[in-house]
Amino acid sequence: PCQPSELPSANCLNTRLLAPATFPHPTMAAATAPSSTAGELPAHMAAGLARLNQPTRLYVHTPWPQPTDTPAPTAPASATNVRPPLPSSDPECLATLLYMQLTNFDATLVPTDITSMSRTGAFPMLRRSDDVLVCGTDAVAEHIKRKTGEHLDSALDACARADCAAYTELVRCQLGLAMRHELWCDNANFEHAGVPLLRARGFSSLLASWLGWSQRHHVRETLQARRAANNPKAIYAEAEHAIKALAMRLGDSSYFGGAAPALLDAVAFGHLAIILARGSSGGAADQPSFRAHHLAPLLEPHANLVRYCHRVQDTYFGSQ
């Protein structure tokens, strides 16, 4: 496994996810204070204490590569059709980023694709200041609740909480699986997005090809368990059902949770925003570029969902 010294250097993006000030525990401070009898701490103990005093870090998948010849927008995102790229290419990573923004939880953002450092082999992963790893959107939300006492679903009654939980699973099981199918099982995306993305993450051509086929096999196995492996129409029909259900759930409200955001807002935005941003016109032909040419046409007719994605992106990720 990767040692902390081998981790990539933190790269704070221009969001509110900034490194908090770190204050050593009083007992740690006493242990590190000079002592006339004990002398200096051994190197391995000093290194261990240094790790415990690291700021909280959130590791997420890097964004999709952007065309190098695309000029940066000079006007605010709300005044132009060009928006800054989303900070991650993964829907669960994007959901966690939004959740942390909504709860004002500070952490150093580290975009990376070295998944071997995660005990689950996937991101998002929060590395706490005491060097403990927290993996997954739901686990990070529970960690924030333990640290701050705040959870976005706390204000909901039992019925509304169960309702939001059902919609959250609907998004992950139907929309999330359709997104994975479009990336790894659609031949055009597999050739021009999936495998090139793995190569861009540092894998050799041979290994990237093998990992791509492994991902495709894993998605098909998951679909086979639902008896939909060889029926893309059924997969996208389920995704369309999920999108329509979300559109009805949102209605004219500001958030899926009603007047205030809930965990469902983070998970739904993480999926919907990537589909909307990776529509058939997104990306460049000479760069790894996922094209949601099946899913984007299902989402774009729902004006309330499109407005919702643009508003949330402009509010929480518009100043990157």
Side-chain angles (χ1 to χ4, degrees):
C2 273
Q3 298 300 319
S5 60
E6 300 173 359
L7 298 182
S9 59
N11 177 21
C12 291
L13 298 185
N14 187 19
T15 67
R16 291 207 304 268
L17 298 173
L18 303 177
T22 56
F23 301 94
H25 192 278
T27 57
M28 296 180 188
T32 56
S35 172
S36 58
T37 57
E40 294 184 357
L41 288 174
H44 68 281
M45 293 182 63
L49 288 175
R51 287 199 301 271
L52 292 178
N53 289 330
Q54 290 293 319
T56 302
R57 297 184 176 191
L58 179 69
Y59 296 85
V60 299
H61 281 292
T62 56
W64 285 99
Q66 298 298 312
T68 56
D69 57 348
T70 300
T74 56
S78 58
T80 175
N81 291 327
V82 179
R83 285 179 167 80
L86 296 169
S88 179
S89 59
D90 181 80
E92 288 295 329
C93 291
L94 191 58
T96 303
L97 285 167
L98 177 58
Y99 190 92
M100 295 177 71
Q101 295 274 43
L102 293 170
T103 54
N104 294 313
F105 187 81
D106 293 336
T108 301
L109 179 60
V110 186
T112 180
D113 289 304
I114 308 176
T115 54
S116 59
M117 70 177 66
S118 171
R119 66 186 181 191
T120 63
F123 293 136
M125 181 190 77
L126 191 74
R127 194 179 198 98
R128 295 174 5 186
S129 57
D130 57 1
D131 216 30
V132 174
L133 305 181
V134 181
C135 300
T137 305
D138 295 336
V140 171
E142 287 301 318
H143 169 71
I144 293 174
K145 181 180 179 181
R146 288 193 297 270
K147 292 285 288 186
T148 66
E150 182 178 3
H151 193 289
L152 291 182
D153 291 351
S154 298
L156 301 176
D157 57 35
C159 181
R161 195 177 303 119
D163 197 34
C164 283
Y167 275 93
T168 300
E169 289 307 306
L170 178 72
V171 172
R172 285 171 167 162
C173 293
Q174 295 190 354
L175 198 54
L177 192 56
M179 291 176 67
R180 292 170 59 198
H181 180 275
E182 187 158 26
L183 174 59
W184 298 110
C185 298
D186 179 88
N187 289 330
N189 276 325
F190 181 82
E191 181 180 351
H192 299 293
V195 174
L197 179 63
L198 293 172
R199 287 200 297 266
R201 290 174 176 175
F203 296 105
S204 66
S205 297
L206 182 61
L207 184 55
S209 179
W210 182 85
L211 289 173
W213 282 103
S214 178
Q215 286 280 1
R216 173 178 282 195
H217 178 70
H218 177 70
V219 171
R220 284 179 170 172
E221 275 193 333
T222 305
L223 293 169
Q224 186 66 46
R226 300 174 54 182
R227 301 180 180 179
N230 297 318
N231 191 356
K233 289 184 178 180
I235 297 168
Y236 297 123
E238 288 186 352
E240 184 177 17
H241 168 73
I243 291 172
K244 288 181 177 179
L246 288 173
M248 293 181 63
R249 167 76 185 188
L250 180 63
D252 296 326
S253 301
S254 298
Y255 299 99
F256 288 102
L263 176 62
L264 171 60
D265 284 276
V267 175
F269 173 80
H271 291 75
L272 296 175
I274 290 179
I275 293 174
L276 196 61
R278 308 310 302 181
S280 57
S281 60
D286 60 341
Q287 299 201 20
S289 180
F290 168 53
R291 307 291 180 92
H293 48 80
H294 290 294
L295 293 173
L298 303 179
L299 171 60
E300 289 166 353
H302 298 280
N304 62 337
L305 293 180
V306 174
R307 288 194 302 268
Y308 169 82
C309 290
H310 288 168
R311 176 170 53 83
V312 172
Q313 183 176 353
D314 293 344
T315 302
Y316 297 101
F317 303 109
S319 60
Q320 296 177 39

